Amino acid sequence: MRQSFQIGGAFIGVIVGAGFASGQEVLQFFTSFGIYGIIGSLLAMALFAFLGMNLTQLGSQLQTKSHQHAIRHICGKYLGPVVDVAITFFLFGVTVVMFSGSGAIFEQQFGIPGSVGNVLMAVLTIATVMLSVNKVISLISAFTPVLLLVVIIITVYSLFNFDMTSAELAAATASAASSQAAPHWLLGAALYVSYNLAAGAAMMTVMGGTVKDAKIAARGGIIGGVGLGILILLINVSMLTQLKEIAAVPMPMLVLANNISPLIGGLMSIILLGMIYNTAVGMLYAFTARIVKPDSKKFKVSVGAFGAVAFASSFVGFVTLVGTVYPVMGYLGFTLIAAIVIAWVRKRKVQTSRNAITTP
């Protein structure tokens, strides 16, 4: 169970980056749809648990060190290379978003130029990715319990201070419609899971590959998926109760944390930076491992070069990047979800046939 929880925590850590923990992604894909966003949160939880189970289990079975083998195994000889290239491209894109998100926190919370945050996050990420994959996983999973605790505190406080009527809530939801990343709440939830899967699948298969027992890896995927769903639900509910106040800010959860006390706001800022660091490390590692073998002499040099290019690309703007890169990524991620579901159905059919043959 310890290994399963470590994989689950790392799974959450990879997905929960700047946009998630700050509330910006949850606002665009869930909260802006009002009460329907809560239903979308529950759907996302189920999908994350199912897909995470399949990816970590497959990574364990194949003992994969980069996502290439696992993705081509799932998607086949012809579709596999296309999905592989798309995932590799988006791994780099998410790294860029994370560096940009760090700058946004430095500006909003501390009044420090965003470029300082971009530089610090880039340097820390590049230095960490030069470590071994097991050390990376341990670092990534460390922040998750603290984030969950603070999100619970913010949610409870927000619920106790919820004073909007149903009409006011409807009006706030209507005003937040411009933030919607999809035309329908169901598509928003599916897109959210899809783009996170496209970004996180690479590191999930690598995490599964660190464990030889496929059941332990699969259990870790389920734990991570359920944990993600709980976080989405809590963040969604807390922001829904204060929608009028947070609809137009880059880091909504920071606003809610500062409403409780400057101490909680400062703690939330540190956690956000930690989660950004988690995701940036996971994405940059998986991207570089796909291009260059992790045990080769060129790996560390490549990490530095790719990290520098990602840093240079991070000045486009955090909200702009979340609103453009992620939805496109989500539509492409549907291909991967479909392939995983088809592979799971085929596997179940084979198991059923074998059981029928062995049963007297």
Side-chain angles (χ1 to χ4, degrees), residues 67 83-96 198 287 290-291 325 328-329 332:
H67 68 269
V83 176
D84 176 24
V85 170
I87 286 177
T88 303
F89 170 76
F90 284 121
L91 290 173
F92 180 80
V94 175
T95 305
V96 174
F287 174 78
R290 173 61 188 87
I291 308 297
V325 173
V328 173
M329 209 161 135
L332 290 174

Side-chain angles (χ1 to χ4, degrees), residues 102 105-106 110 121 268-277:
S102 176
I105 290 177
F106 270 71
F110 305 115
M121 189 56 62
M268 188 64 184
S269 300
I270 294 169
I271 293 170
L272 279 173
L273 290 170
M275 301 314 291
I276 289 171
Y277 164 77

Side-chain angles (χ1 to χ4, degrees), residues 9-360:
F11 174 7
I12 295 170
V14 166
I15 300 298
V16 180
F20 186 114
S22 70
Q24 184 58 231
E25 290 174 22
V26 179
L27 174 66
Q28 292 189 25
F29 288 88
F30 296 98
T31 313
S32 57
F33 293 100
I35 197 70
Y36 291 105
I38 294 177
I39 304 172
S41 303
L42 297 174
L43 174 63
M45 181 192 297
L47 286 171
F48 272 128
F50 172 75
L51 296 167
M53 173 192 72
N54 279 275
L55 286 169
T56 51
Q57 185 178 52
L58 182 63
S60 176
Q61 290 168 343
L62 299 177
Q63 286 294 287
T64 185
K65 296 189 183 300
S66 90
H67 68 269
Q68 180 184 14
H69 189 193
I71 295 304
R72 297 196 180 193
H73 179 88
I74 294 169
C75 299
K77 184 168 62 174
Y78 300 107
L79 182 60
V82 177
V83 176
D84 176 24
V85 170
I87 286 177
T88 303
F89 170 76
F90 284 121
L91 290 173
F92 180 80
V94 175
T95 305
V96 174
V97 175
M98 294 306 104
F99 291 170
S100 182
S102 176
I105 290 177
F106 270 71
E107 275 192 27
Q108 181 174 318
Q109 184 67 21
F110 305 115
I112 298 172
S115 56
V116 175
N118 292 33
V119 170
L120 287 175
M121 189 56 62
V123 170
L124 278 173
T125 300
I126 291 167
T128 305
V129 174
M130 292 180 181
L131 301 172
S132 70
V133 64
N134 287 319
K135 288 181 180 178
V136 169
I137 290 171
S138 298
L139 286 167
I140 287 174
S141 61
F143 283 93
T144 304
V146 186
L147 171 67
L148 181 58
L149 176 62
V150 174
V151 168
I152 289 171
I153 292 171
I154 292 172
T155 304
V156 171
Y157 180 86
S158 298
L159 285 170
F160 273 108
N161 288 274
F162 176 57
D163 60 356
M164 282 193 290
T165 64
S166 57
E168 287 174 329
L169 180 59
T173 302
S175 66
S178 59
S179 302
Q180 292 174 355
H184 191 274
W185 67 267
L186 186 59
L187 180 59
L191 270 174
Y192 184 78
V193 174
S194 180
Y195 84 72
N196 273 300
L197 187 75
M203 200 59 194
M204 279 188 262
T205 55
V206 171
M207 288 187 296
T210 64
V211 179
K212 292 186 177 179
D213 189 332
K215 289 183 179 179
I216 291 175
R219 195 161 54 222
I222 294 171
I223 290 169
V226 172
L228 274 173
I230 291 170
L231 279 170
I232 292 169
L233 187 61
L234 290 174
I235 291 173
N236 189 17
V237 168
S238 62
M239 292 199 303
L240 192 60
T241 62
Q242 310 295 323
L243 190 54
K244 287 191 295 186
E245 188 176 0
I246 54 87
V249 296
M251 299 276 170
M253 289 299 283
L254 265 184
V255 173
L256 298 184
N258 282 313
N259 284 347
I260 300 174
S261 80
L263 180 63
I264 298 295
L267 179 60
M268 188 64 184
S269 300
I270 294 169
I271 293 170
L272 279 173
L273 290 170
M275 301 314 291
I276 289 171
Y277 164 77
N278 281 351
T279 302
V281 166
M283 297 300 103
L284 185 58
Y285 179 91
F287 174 78
T288 310
R290 173 61 188 87
I291 308 297
V292 182
K293 289 184 178 180
D295 52 358
S296 71
K297 292 181 180 179
K298 295 179 180 179
F299 185 76
K300 291 184 178 181
V301 175
S302 300
V303 168
F306 294 144
V309 175
F311 164 73
S313 305
S314 66
F315 292 92
V316 174
F318 176 61
V319 176
T320 302
L321 285 167
V322 169
T324 54
V325 173
Y326 285 4
V328 173
M329 209 161 135
Y331 286 112
L332 290 174
F334 283 140
T335 305
L336 180 57
I337 290 178
I340 292 172
V341 172
I342 291 168
W344 179 79
V345 170
R346 286 176 177 169
K347 183 179 176 182
R348 296 290 294 179
K349 283 183 178 179
V350 170
Q351 288 176 342
T352 302
S353 299
R354 286 176 180 172
N355 291 336
I357 293 170
T358 55
T359 303

